[in-house]
Amino acid sequence: MGDTARNPVTWLGSPAFPTAAKTALADDQLRRNLKHATGLIRTKRAGAVAELPDWEQLRLSGEAIKDDVLANLDTYLLRFEESVAARGGTVHWARDAAEANEIVLRLAREAGADEVVKIKSMATMEIGLNEALQAGGVTPIETDLAELIVQLGNDRPSHILVPAIHRNRTEIRDIFKAAMPGTEDLTDEPVELAAAARAFLRRKFLSAKVAVSGANFGVAETGSVVVVESEGNGRMCLTLPETLITVMGIEKLVPTWQDLEVFLQLLPRSSTAERMNPYTSVWTGVTPGDGPRDFHLVLVDNGRTDTLASTVGRQALRCIRCSACLNVCPVYERTGGQAYGSVYPGPIGAILAPQLGGDMHDKHAASLPFASSLCGACFEVCPVRIDIPSVLVHLRAKAVEAKPKYSPEAIGMAAMSWVMAGPRRFRAAQRLAVAGRLLSRGGRIRGLPFPGSKWTDSRDLPAPAKESFSAWWKRTRG
């Protein structure tokens, strides 16, 4: 597959997860930053959730609503399109990232914009919109503080909710001083950092003709679009520019306002540990004299229809991007998000990115389902009850099926099957395995020569017992 046809949900050139994880594990500062941040968020979320005695019922409701939407997605999408159009909005359909980017770039040019302000959006990151806009001569300006830090630092995000979680405030100060004129005397005090970002962004808000947003939810019955955020930058983007372009995944729908109520309780407590989001913006089409004069909604498929076809994997489309699964994952806490090489890191990324990418022959994508200990903590905190461990196991099977027939793993498994099919061969192998104790240290074997190194590169082995069970039985019971 050529680069032009590649789904940008995973970053081009990223190594497979085991290789990237080794690099991340060697970064002590990164691990300290992650441990502090995820521990703090985890504790606050547990407190916020404990306030609601009907939390489990809310989770069940969220799961049921999302499953209904996925089962009847065609009906809800057409209803949503009709409602948006009836209120003055224009709906565009995009089969993939390339189509979505072409639509947004064309709309920005038609509005006469050479710069657009953006609200934090996973959908636009998924399709690589910033890169497409820049290539087309339109400069995107991220207005979410963490996204701005990532953009100014020429960095990549490492968390769905807190994209700059891998940066401490001293590093952020250095990024601002390098990218923002007039900040030579800036300190690393949070108040000063926030003030510098506010002054930088205010000029952008007031001059932008076009804003680009994502969407947390779309309400099918009225055509309303919902964005929740914590900084107020979204409200500025949604009200000041003349043209608003919203890029939204087709699975983001809820049928009614009553259904939305469930998610406005689940999302803030799961993501930022708040009872409600500080800013909840809802718009329905256009209103003369109030807000943008033109509203365009780009509905993006980009692998979602194929994901929907999987009876096991489709539950990943329930995700509301709260990132609670990241904050409890022992693998994420140690490697950070960039090791996943995808806009969707952590446990949800390990099941979402390979499915949206749709190519298990891609070594990078195929490695993601193995980036888990299968401890199940992600399922326990998921507000819409996505059984991530089950999907991981399902995708691991897909990854193995996609491997060449004569891969080292396939040959090794075939050899083991042949050995275990014959009693004499099996006993001989047991005696040989006992010799493996010579390679152990502290009861574990941590390195084997090729082809055994393919296993020990990412895991160790218990040292073989001094005596097999069958040999012990024969010796003690005759």
Side-chain angles (χ1 to χ4, degrees):
M1 181 181 293
D3 290 349
T4 55
R6 182 179 175 277
N7 190 330
V9 68
T10 54
W11 294 324
L12 185 63
S14 296
F17 182 81
T19 302
K22 282 184 179 178
T23 303
L25 288 171
D27 188 337
D28 293 338
Q29 182 64 55
L30 172 68
R31 295 177 65 180
R32 281 194 294 272
N33 293 349
L34 288 168
K35 184 176 182 179
H36 171 74
T38 56
L40 188 65
I41 298 172
R42 198 163 52 231
T43 302
K44 289 179 64 179
R45 176 204 165 274
V49 166
E51 292 178 347
L52 294 183
D54 61 345
W55 180 253
E56 288 305 314
Q57 284 70 35
L58 277 171
R59 290 180 73 209
L60 289 167
S61 296
E63 176 187 18
I65 294 168
K66 279 293 184 180
D67 281 350
D68 172 56
V69 168
L70 296 177
N72 302 283
L73 190 56
D74 52 348
T75 300
Y76 288 124
L77 280 170
L78 291 176
R79 188 177 301 168
F80 186 55
E81 179 188 30
E82 182 180 347
S83 300
V84 172
R87 291 161 176 80
T90 304
V91 177
H92 308 260
W93 297 86
R95 285 174 296 188
D96 54 28
E99 282 193 4
N101 290 332
E102 186 277 331
I103 292 169
V104 177
L105 180 59
R106 173 172 53 80
L107 293 172
R109 285 173 171 168
E110 288 175 356
D114 56 10
E115 187 173 276
V116 300
V117 288
K118 284 188 68 219
I119 306 172
K120 181 180 183 303
S121 160
M122 297 305 297
T124 60
M125 283 196 286
E126 174 192 317
I127 61 175
L129 179 62
N130 282 9
E131 293 79 1
L133 288 174
Q134 286 175 326
V138 176
T139 303
I141 304 295
E142 296 288 354
T143 63
D144 173 87
L145 179 57
E147 288 290 358
L148 179 66
I149 293 166
V150 170
Q151 185 179 42
L152 294 180
N154 295 314
D155 201 355
R156 282 175 169 170
S158 60
H159 193 279
I160 291 175
L161 184 67
V162 197
I165 195 172
H166 56 291
R167 297 290 192 186
N168 61 34
R169 62 189 193 183
T170 302
E171 293 173 312
I172 294 169
R173 178 204 60 191
D174 295 341
I175 291 171
F176 281 9
K177 289 175 71 171
M180 294 179 181
T183 56
E184 293 78 9
D185 299 325
L186 188 66
T187 74
D188 63 0
E189 287 299 316
V191 172
E192 286 196 29
L193 295 173
R198 186 179 298 115
F200 176 80
L201 290 173
R202 188 57 61 100
R203 293 189 289 272
K204 302 297 182 183
F205 287 133
L206 295 175
S207 62
K209 294 181 179 178
V210 175
V212 177
S213 84
N216 291 100
F217 307 102
V219 183
E221 69 175 353
T222 60
S224 304
V225 182
V226 184
V227 162
V228 298
E229 39 113 7
S230 301
E231 300 173 12
N233 64 299
R235 185 67 58 83
M236 301 283 276
C237 290
L238 297 171
T239 53
L240 291 176
E242 296 174 354
T243 300
L244 172 61
I245 306 169
T246 297
V247 180
M248 175 177 159
I250 58 174
E251 84 285 14
K252 288 287 188 174
L253 294 177
V254 295
T256 67
W257 276 83
Q258 189 173 8
D259 298 317
L260 178 64
E261 175 191 335
V262 173
F263 295 100
L264 292 183
Q265 295 178 76
L266 287 171
L267 180 55
R269 290 177 189 270
S270 297
S271 56
T272 54
E274 294 170 302
R275 297 185 179 96
M276 64 180 294
N277 290 95
Y279 294 89
T280 300
S281 298
V282 184
W283 65 100
T284 306
V286 293
T287 302
D290 184 12
R293 292 184 302 192
D294 292 313
F295 169 52
H296 296 270
L297 177 66
V298 184
L299 291 170
V300 181
D301 186 320
N302 202 39
R304 286 162 174 77
T305 298
D306 291 339
T307 303
L308 192 62
S310 169
T311 54
V312 178
R314 67 189 309 177
Q315 59 184 298
L317 298 178
R318 289 187 209 138
C319 179
I320 57 174
R321 312 290 192 262
C322 71
S323 72
C325 60
L326 277 66
N327 301 325
V328 298
C329 177
V331 175
Y332 176 87
E333 183 178 296
R334 285 157 179 80
T335 65
Q338 293 181 347
Y340 292 79
S342 165
V343 296
Y344 297 112
I348 187 61
I351 64 171
L352 196 55
Q355 294 193 95
L356 293 181
D359 182 12
M360 278 305 204
H361 295 91
D362 181 325
K363 290 183 178 179
H364 172 208
S367 73
L368 294 177
F370 297 88
S372 170
S373 65
L374 299 179
C375 68
C378 48
F379 173 65
E380 296 298 323
V381 299
C382 178
V384 287
R385 294 172 47 83
I386 301 172
D387 187 355
I388 292 177
S390 293
V391 183
L392 285 168
V393 172
H394 168 72
L395 292 176
R396 288 181 182 187
K398 295 289 184 185
V400 171
E401 290 170 5
K403 288 184 177 179
K405 186 177 179 181
Y406 298 106
S407 68
E409 182 178 354
I411 294 172
M413 288 297 175
M416 185 170 291
S417 175
W418 178 78
V419 168
M420 297 180 75
R424 290 186 177 179
R425 294 194 293 268
F426 184 64
R427 284 194 291 272
Q430 285 181 316
R431 289 193 292 272
L432 185 62
V434 171
R437 291 177 59 83
L438 298 174
L439 300 174
S440 68
R441 297 288 185 276
R444 311 292 296 181
I445 297 175
R446 306 182 190 282
L448 287 173
F450 184 83
S453 59
K454 291 291 186 181
W455 177 277
T456 54
D457 276 350
S458 57
R459 55 182 78 82
D460 57 15
L461 290 168
K466 293 181 180 177
E467 185 178 37
S468 69
F469 175 78
S470 57
W472 171 84
W473 184 271
K474 185 176 181 179
R475 177 171 59 80
T476 58
R477 306 294 175 89

